[in-house]
Structure formats: structure tokens, C-alpha cells
Amino acid sequence: MVNGKLFVIDAHCHVYPDKIATIASGNTDRFYDTVSKHDGKVGTLLDLKEESGIDRFLVQSVATTPKQVQRINQFIADTVNNSNGIMTGLGTLHPDSADLKADVMQIKQLGLHGVKLHPDIQQFKIDDYRCLKIYELCEQENLPVLMHTGDNRYDFSNPNRLLPVIKIFDKLTLVAAHLGGYSVWEEAVQKLAGIKNLYFDCSSSFFWLNPKRAKEIIEIYGTDRVLFGSDYPMWSPKAELDTLLSLGFGDDDLKMILSENAKKIYNI
């Protein structure tokens, strides 16, 4: 809770089983040439709750192979069920799965609230034909998709790949992480603003954007379209929240960014 009145949802957190958390976080660090602030363990994230002032966490993990999908989904569901109401979970899918329908049904049966995809790490283009069934199923089942977007080193998830998908599947709710384009923010804001079924989170963006430009980008998208997210364990939830609060938004806008948009999209 911020200032005793603003409920806070961190809508972008990665968590891993304790026995592989250090390895998983290290792999992400190598991919992005970063040093994570935390270890990726569920317990660590729970311990950060009071320090950060965050009331609820949206947690997820990513399957790098099809055989990991159902195991990860079960782990996320178990994590949520053991969190005393502090966590909400997203499932994972993989375009090479032998039975995408069964994987989506598992996500629904486990009570997860959407799907996280990471094209760069999972090695598929957003508009790859293999992914069309994922979008079709998520649209049919009213499962929002949190999508990693953007990377100037690759062409898996940049705005040119996202645009045709979000326009074709116009009843699919999609959240474009990292203000629509990690390391390609300016291209993203030029191409992605104003699409009715597209939302954004601000995770992994403040480290690069100066505060004035970060606020401008959020305002261009609209505060009714942007969600707060820390990208735990890569960044500190408290530090990311403090940065957002320092941008100068009023309470009405902050309420949308910090909780109301996430509540609406993920049915929290």
C-alpha cells in the first residue's frame, strides 16, 4: 500500500523452484548481460512485500521446451495456492507443443489468470504461423497474454512482429511488456499507441529511459493502458516502484497504473 491508500500490484515477476532459481536467474543475466538484484526464489519475493509496499504479485515462468509447459504451470499454481492470497499466476505455453489445447485447458483448470510468452528466449517470432493457434485459443478462452516485446539484437518480438497479430486477433487482450519494446522504446511508442486491445507494462524500462521520457511514453499510451511491473528478480520491486512514484503522476493516474488496470485485465 502506497501512502496508506493506493493498492499496488506488481504485474511482472518471474519465480523459480528454489533448487534451480540461481541457475535460472543466471541464465537470464547472461542473455541480457545484467546482474539480477535478487535470486528468483518465491520466498525472497514474499520477504520483499513489506519492504516494497507492494500488496500483490503476478508471477510467471517461461517454458523453453514443450515438455516443461505442464510442469511449470503446476509449479506456478502451487506457488499461488501457498501464497495466502498474495500472488496471482500466469501459465506458460510453447508453440511446438504437441497439444496446445490440452495445455490451455490445464491453465484454465489450475485457475491461472493468463499466459506469459517470451519470444526471444523461446525462439519464435510473434507472428510465426506456429503461434496462431496460441492466440486463437487464448482469445476463445478469454486468457490475456503477457508478451515480452522488443530487443534491438533480434527480430522475434519487435513492434513489426506484434502489429499484425494484435490487429488480426482483435478480441485478444495482450500486454506488451517493457513499454512495448525493450531497447526499442521509441519505435514501439510510434507504432503501438492507440490499439484498443493492447496494454503495456513498465518493467525493465526505467533503467534506460530518463524520467521525463518515461513519463511521456506512459502518457502517450495512456495511464489506463499501463501496468506497474518490476521484472523481479532482475530489478528491485521497491526501487522500480519508487521510480514510478517519482515521475509525478497524480493519485488517479497512479491508481490505474498500480492496480486498476491489472485487476481488470487479469480478473484479480
Side-chain angles (χ1 to χ4, degrees):
M1 195 74 69
V2 172
N3 299 329
K5 58 183 176 180
L6 292 173
F7 191 84
V8 182
I9 298 172
D10 185 340
H12 195 133
C13 299
H14 299 267
V15 292
Y16 313 103
D18 283 3
K19 65 182 179 180
I20 65 164
T22 300
I23 294 171
S25 297
N27 288 339
T28 301
D29 283 343
R30 282 187 289 276
F31 189 82
Y32 286 109
D33 193 23
T34 54
V35 178
S36 291
K37 305 299 183 185
H38 299 290
D39 58 18
K41 294 180 180 179
V42 175
T44 301
L45 185 58
L46 291 172
D47 288 343
L48 292 170
K49 179 180 182 297
E50 296 305 321
E51 168 198 325
S52 64
I54 294 169
D55 299 283
R56 198 174 187 97
F57 300 98
L58 188 71
V59 296
Q60 70 248 207
S61 194
V62 173
T64 56
T65 67
K67 67 180 181 181
Q68 295 175 340
V69 168
Q70 295 207 0
R71 185 169 68 249
I72 289 174
N73 290 339
Q74 187 65 60
F75 163 71
I76 294 296
D78 292 343
T79 296
V80 169
N81 291 336
N82 292 325
S83 72
N84 294 318
I86 294 171
M87 295 182 174
T88 298
L90 300 183
T92 186
L93 295 170
H94 195 286
D96 293 330
S97 171
D99 194 342
L100 280 168
K101 177 74 171 178
D103 292 341
V104 168
M105 289 302 100
Q106 184 208 26
I107 287 171
K108 296 279 287 187
Q109 290 160 7
L110 289 172
L112 300 177
H113 288 232
V115 172
K116 170 63 187 293
L117 298 174
H118 197 309
D120 296 73
I121 286 178
Q122 293 179 289
Q123 295 286 288
F124 65 82
K125 295 174 181 176
I126 291 177
D127 56 352
D128 190 309
Y129 75 94
R130 296 175 299 154
C131 302
L132 300 183
K133 190 65 176 178
I134 290 178
Y135 309 135
E136 178 185 334
L137 288 167
C138 288
E139 187 178 58
Q140 288 174 359
E141 298 297 332
N142 295 314
L143 286 170
V145 174
L146 172 58
M147 180 85 76
H148 169 93
T149 46
D151 198 313
N152 58 19
R153 302 171 297 172
Y154 311 109
D155 188 26
F156 291 109
S157 63
N158 291 328
N160 59 298
R161 298 292 179 189
L162 177 61
L163 276 170
V165 167
I166 200 64
K167 289 180 177 179
I168 292 169
F169 296 93
D170 60 355
K171 294 180 179 62
L172 173 69
T173 298
L174 194 144
V175 179
H178 322 312
L179 291 176
Y182 177 87
S183 72
V184 292
W185 291 282
E186 296 305 325
E187 178 187 355
V189 78
Q190 290 170 17
K191 293 182 177 179
L192 300 179
I195 299 173
K196 67 180 180 65
N197 51 328
L198 184 60
Y199 296 80
F200 307 86
D201 77 33
C202 62
S203 66
S204 284
S205 298
F206 295 149
F207 78 101
W208 181 261
L209 295 167
N210 70 60
K212 179 176 182 291
R213 188 55 180 157
K215 186 179 184 185
E216 288 172 348
I217 290 175
I218 291 171
E219 289 173 334
I220 290 168
Y221 287 140
T223 56
D224 61 338
R225 295 273 159 181
V226 177
L227 291 69
F228 168 68
S230 70
D231 219 353
Y232 168 92
M234 185 178 287
W235 309 107
S236 159
K238 182 180 187 304
E240 294 297 294
L241 179 57
D242 287 347
T243 298
L244 176 65
L245 295 174
S246 75
L247 298 182
F249 287 107
D251 283 353
D252 289 344
D253 288 328
L254 285 174
K255 185 176 180 181
M256 299 297 292
I257 297 168
L258 293 176
S259 63
E260 293 305 306
N261 296 330
K263 287 178 183 179
K264 178 180 71 172
I265 291 166
Y266 296 113
N267 192 28
I268 297 175

